Amino acid sequence: MILWATAGAAALGFLIALEIVARHYGGVPGPITLQARELILPPKPGPLYGGLALMMVVLTWRQRFIAAGAAIGIDAVFVLARWVLHVNVPEGHFFGNGALWAMLGCAVLAITRRTGQERALLLKGVGLGLLLVTGRKIGDAWLLITSKTRPTVLDPYVALADHALGNPSWAAGRALEAIGPFGTQVLASVYAQLAVAAIVVALYQLRDVASERRFPRHHLVRTFLVIGLLGPAVYMIFPVVGPVFAYGPGASGTGGVQWAVANLWPHTPPPIAAPHAAPYDGITPRNCMPSLHTAWATAIFIHSRKGPRVLRYAGTFWLVATLSATLGFGYHYGVDLVAGVVFALTVEAALRTIDRGWDRSGVRLVGHGTAVFTALLLCYAFLPMRMATHPWLFGPLVLLAMASVIHGYVRTTRAWDPKPVPVLRPEPRPEPA
């Protein structure tokens, strides 16, 4: 309980700090205010019911039906009231208030009507659901801070380094144009619904919580949240907006050619020239290095490996489709994806090592991943010209560095997995003559 109280206090302090910074730099509400508003106002599209589903892993089936029914009923009341009062509701903002009220109701129930282990378990479930919901608000605040505090971007450096990999975003963008609107729509859906895939895998991992009355030592939600917490800190160090913004027309009108270094994406790779930090608008997030969509999709792939066949196939599909979408839509460079894979494996290794008590193999794996990730960023920042002019050297080196982290992770975690112990059957005694 002391550990959970400490973690809760640290999380609250972090949210308060983000609230202050968001108001200072952007003049907009932070994650606490935005989340509190959704108790009454139309909620932004997000995983509100996904958070409710995660919370319900600690409930019995009867309690789950009650919680889901209460959430749907509250939402129906809100929708009806807005319709009667002619409240203007943006598209996609109709439902979600009920899920938030249901989670808060379970928190009140845990404090007032539960004791001991039952109270702790229910509060952990509520905290898990609210963390998933609030994580979206935290991410929005982080992205706002990156756009307001980093007036210049390092896209020319990353685009130059990307020559070592053959400019994969440019190739994927042309391939997506050739596929047509159906393929584009499929990839867009996969890219936008990454949280749905994560919730499905997490629900499978947490399916026995209600019966065992405890959470597993390690699950996908922890990795997802830590990636989302640490990744934006790297954005502040290495601000990058992506090919479609820095070398193309932008997306949804937030970038545009007026801020682009050149209008080249996806048909003309950027020229090899001395890089420089480029000014950019105060709206577009600097959220490319590393690619967190790649990191999250990698985490989903890892955690789906121990599931049934259909879940393993789905995890593989989501990883491949997410990588295709991040490149094909021009949201990321190839070197972003490499950094995202290394970042995800390092975070996953660190979380598993914490559970094991920081043994030698875990420390070695985390240290190797951290060293490779740092080396990649340093190469992108200080050696982009050499990477562009010597692609047959640096391209394989970048891929080999990523492969070394993958190999180290697979080899080490396989050694961690418990080995099946053969059951020795006693030999039958011979019948007496």
Side-chain angles (χ1 to χ4, degrees):
M1 290 301 296
I2 294 175
L3 179 62
W4 277 93
T6 303
L12 180 61
F14 178 72
L15 288 173
I16 293 174
L18 277 183
E19 183 81 22
I20 295 172
V21 174
R23 290 181 178 275
H24 174 72
Y25 284 107
V28 297
I32 297 177
T33 303
L34 292 175
Q35 195 66 77
R37 284 181 176 180
E38 291 188 350
L39 288 170
I40 303 297
L41 300 180
K44 292 183 63 176
L48 283 164
Y49 272 93
L52 178 64
L54 284 180
M55 184 212 71
M56 290 195 296
V57 299
V58 305
L59 305 179
T60 64
W61 278 107
R62 178 177 176 274
Q63 293 168 339
R64 290 169 186 171
F65 283 120
I66 293 174
I72 295 172
I74 293 171
D75 259 333
V77 171
F78 271 101
V79 171
L80 180 61
R82 288 166 187 150
W83 178 73
V84 170
L85 298 174
H86 303 286
V87 176
N88 184 25
V89 179
E91 184 179 356
H93 290 59
F94 284 98
F95 300 100
N97 302 95
L100 190 56
W101 277 104
M103 285 187 279
L104 293 178
C106 287
V108 173
L109 180 67
I111 295 172
T112 59
R113 302 294 296 275
R114 297 288 187 268
T115 58
Q117 184 182 4
E118 292 296 318
R119 172 188 287 175
L121 186 67
L122 185 51
L123 286 176
K124 287 178 183 178
V126 173
L128 192 68
L130 288 177
L131 276 175
L132 181 68
V133 171
T134 308
R136 180 70 174 267
K137 305 294 185 296
I138 293 174
D140 292 343
W142 262 121
L143 297 182
L144 172 70
I145 293 169
T146 64
S147 64
K148 298 298 183 183
T149 61
R150 293 295 179 266
T152 60
V153 296
L154 302 180
D155 283 78
Y157 291 82
V158 182
L160 202 57
D162 213 37
H163 280 278
L165 300 180
N167 304 109
S169 180
W170 272 254
R174 295 192 298 271
L176 198 59
E177 284 185 349
I179 291 174
F182 176 75
T184 300
Q185 186 61 41
V186 170
L187 292 183
S189 300
V190 170
Y191 190 86
Q193 301 301 326
L194 189 66
V196 175
I199 290 170
V200 170
V201 175
L203 289 176
Y204 174 79
Q205 291 182 319
L206 303 176
R207 67 194 183 280
D208 296 327
V209 170
S211 59
E212 296 180 356
R213 313 311 295 163
R214 63 180 181 85
F215 279 87
R217 296 183 66 184
H218 182 55
H219 51 83
L220 176 61
V221 180
R222 294 204 319 170
T223 306
F224 236 68
L225 292 174
V226 173
I227 287 174
L229 179 66
L230 298 180
V234 186
Y235 296 163
M236 302 292 289
I237 301 171
F238 213 112
V240 181
V241 293
V244 74
F245 294 101
Y247 292 94
S252 304
T254 57
V257 292
Q258 69 272 19
W259 286 103
V261 177
N263 190 12
L264 303 174
W265 189 88
H267 299 288
T268 306
I272 297 177
H276 61 280
Y280 213 81
D281 65 22
I283 302 172
T284 307
R286 281 63 163 149
N287 61 340
C288 283
M289 182 62 69
S291 168
L292 292 197
H293 261 79
T294 299
W296 283 320
T298 302
I300 291 172
F301 175 80
I302 293 171
H303 284 264
S304 65
R305 293 306 88 196
K306 294 185 179 180
R309 181 178 298 179
V310 64
L311 197 64
R312 296 197 302 270
Y313 287 165
T316 303
F317 166 77
W318 224 267
L319 176 61
V320 174
T322 300
L323 297 181
S324 302
T326 55
L327 292 174
F329 292 131
Y331 296 150
H332 289 280
Y333 303 90
V335 291
D336 298 343
L337 273 60
V338 172
V341 171
V342 174
F343 183 73
L345 293 175
T346 305
V347 169
E348 179 73 13
L351 290 175
R352 294 194 61 176
T353 302
I354 290 173
D355 291 334
R356 292 177 52 82
W358 290 104
D359 60 359
R360 180 177 297 180
S361 61
V363 172
R364 184 168 55 245
L365 178 60
V366 175
H368 177 60
T370 304
V372 170
F373 182 72
T374 304
L376 289 174
L377 294 186
L378 291 175
C379 287
Y380 302 161
F382 297 104
L383 299 176
M385 181 64 75
R386 291 182 180 272
M387 294 179 70
T389 54
H390 299 86
W392 295 107
L393 172 62
F394 282 94
L397 284 177
V398 168
L399 297 178
L400 282 174
M402 179 182 69
S404 71
V405 177
I406 296 173
H407 177 263
Y409 179 85
V410 172
R411 182 184 61 184
T412 304
T413 53
R414 280 182 178 174
W416 289 346
D417 290 337
K419 302 295 186 296
V421 179
V423 178
L424 299 178
R425 297 180 179 179
E427 295 184 2
R429 296 181 179 180
E431 294 290 336

